[in-house]
Amino acid sequence: DGGITQSPKYLFRKEGQNVTLSCEQNLNHDAMYWYRQDPGQGLRLIYYSQIVNDFQKGDIAEGYSVSREKKESFPLTVTSAQKNPTAFYLCASSHRGRDSEQYFGPGTRLTVT
Amino acid sequence: GNSVTQMEGPVTLSEEAFLTINCTYTATGYPSLFWYVQYPGEGLQLLLKATKADDKGSNKGFEATYRKETTSFHLEKGSVQVSDSAVYFCALSDYGGATNKLIFGTGTLLAVQP
């Protein structure tokens, strides 16, 4: 089955720790994205990547980092510099191009205490 | 900058009622428009899309028409079911340099009661 997997579904961390969220796709998509979802705020773009070894900051990149070493994988690290890391994180991928649909993973709910 | 405004929820309807969720946008150029649906605890799924003015997207009984003159893309369904209960997001493509970034509205929660 083609799709996007994110793991784990729930993640708990102590404040001050970095944590990495996994995102893998087998759809042969060039572009991948990370979004953050908070209640009442819709989805906000954190980082996106059009191609391997290249990525750009989205609207709320501060406190996050990414890598794109393989086409299939786009892990997101939430660093201790992120002031409010508790949120639902969604990964997506798409073909490149104006009308391309983005396919979403099931999400990871991160709780930092 | 480009933006999307959706009607606030929650929207509560009885089964078989008519649904409208309003969506308006601000954009330069001619973006593509999308409706995504999110069921509880899951990621988003594309419901329908329209890529140019006057296009009508449709899927699973849902429809939306790209209205350039009113910058709107309202979602409609003639008869909702309990299984349609979910959060609905309107989005536009902020396309530039071969990357299709999406700008989302805040989402509208739909609750359908039997």
Side-chain angles (χ1 to χ4, degrees), chain A residues 21-37:
Chain A
L21 281 60
S22 166
C23 177
E24 304 276 334
Q25 55 98 0
N26 61 1
L27 300 167
N28 199 33
H29 287 162
D30 285 311
M32 297 187 74
Y33 313 81
W34 274 105
Y35 294 91
R36 171 181 171 137
Q37 185 176 17

Side-chain angles (χ1 to χ4, degrees), chain A residues 11-27:
Chain A
L11 192 53
F12 298 89
R13 281 294 183 270
K14 294 290 187 187
E15 202 172 309
Q17 293 178 334
N18 292 353
V19 59
T20 298
L21 281 60
S22 166
C23 177
E24 304 276 334
Q25 55 98 0
N26 61 1
L27 300 167

